[in-house]
Amino acid sequence: VELVESGGGAVEDGGSLRLSCVGSGLPASQFNGYCLAWFRQSPGKNQREMVATISRLGTPGYGDSVKGRFTISKDHTKKTLYLEMTRLKPEDTGIYYCAREVRQVCLEAPGGYSSWGQGTQVTVSS
């Protein structure tokens, strides 16, 4: 099973990007049965920070720094997780990873996820 992110790039302060994460090797029903999440690792930081999560039932959760600007969604028929990012700021710069775990309640800690993608770079310039 692989998670493959795409959609990263370089934008200016205030810009927008849409990230995608495709889950290959899984039936669509199993993709929908997981907690799915976006994390990011910012330059100079060792810990990955939770950006957004979406539960098996579609309930979203967001990190405080992105609330009101980012939207997480999924299309289980396409086995794809999305992250719509608007009003981007330089501090949003980092490598964005998608992750999944079989869990009823999605956790905020990266240790709560066993499957990860390879990451996609997002750079926001001021």
Side-chain angles (χ1 to χ4, degrees), residues 33-51:
Y34 283 77
C35 269
L36 300 167
W38 288 99
F39 285 80
R40 71 184 176 198
Q41 187 151 5
S42 302
K45 293 188 178 179
N46 292 326
Q47 184 80 347
R48 293 180 184 182
E49 170 194 11
M50 188 277 287
V51 175

Side-chain angles (χ1 to χ4, degrees), residues 34-109:
Y34 283 77
C35 269
L36 300 167
W38 288 99
F39 285 80
R40 71 184 176 198
Q41 187 151 5
S42 302
K45 293 188 178 179
N46 292 326
Q47 184 80 347
R48 293 180 184 182
E49 170 194 11
M50 188 277 287
V51 175
T53 63
I54 188 164
S55 73
R56 180 176 62 87
L57 297 179
T59 302
Y62 297 97
D64 288 341
S65 64
V66 306
K67 284 179 182 175
R69 300 187 297 122
F70 291 10
T71 303
I72 189 171
S73 63
K74 62 180 178 177
D75 184 335
H76 73 277
T77 61
K78 296 181 179 179
K79 296 184 292 182
T80 303
L81 176 70
Y82 301 102
L83 184 68
E84 191 77 40
M85 304 187 294
T86 64
R87 291 183 283 145
L88 282 160
K89 305 175 182 180
E91 51 263 44
D92 294 317
T93 294
I95 302 174
Y96 283 69
Y97 300 88
C98 66
R100 68 177 181 89
E101 185 56 64
V102 180
R103 197 176 283 282
Q104 291 291 336
V105 177
C106 296
L107 300 181
E108 295 186 2

